[in-house]
Amino acid sequence: SEGGKLLVVPMVGSHWLSMEVVVQKLAERGHDVVVLMPEISWQMAESRGHAYTVKTYPVSTKLEDLDNTF
């Protein structure tokens, strides 16, 4: 089948750990996937070597602020 275009915007602290596997598989199957993630996050990192594209956006929160909140 022909792949489509997908924009994925996971929330900080969301189900990214399990969702990342699905996003990777979709990209491997021909979908053009862009993941939009904040610059600061616990689980989400701009890793190289993925079949999908990662775009980051600036946030005013620091990692220390996230740690203190939780």
Side-chain angles (χ1 to χ4, degrees):
S1 72
E2 187 176 315
K5 294 185 177 191
L6 299 169
L7 175 63
V8 179
V9 187
M11 300 300 294
V12 173
S14 70
H15 308 289
W16 176 245
L17 296 177
S18 58
M19 190 172 145
E20 183 177 19
V21 176
V22 174
V23 170
Q24 179 70 22
K25 290 294 182 189
L26 287 169
E28 289 172 0
R29 292 181 180 179
H31 295 278
D32 182 15
V33 181
V34 175
V35 177
L36 184 62
M37 62 178 58
E39 289 176 328
I40 304 299
S41 175
W42 284 315
Q43 297 97 0
M44 294 181 279
E46 188 176 349
S47 304
R48 304 284 182 226
H50 291 297
Y52 54 86
T53 303
V54 175
K55 300 285 184 180
T56 59
Y57 61 91
V59 292
S60 60
T61 305
K62 298 176 185 168
L63 192 56
E64 296 83 28
D65 295 335
L66 289 176
D67 290 339
N68 290 335
T69 299
F70 291 98

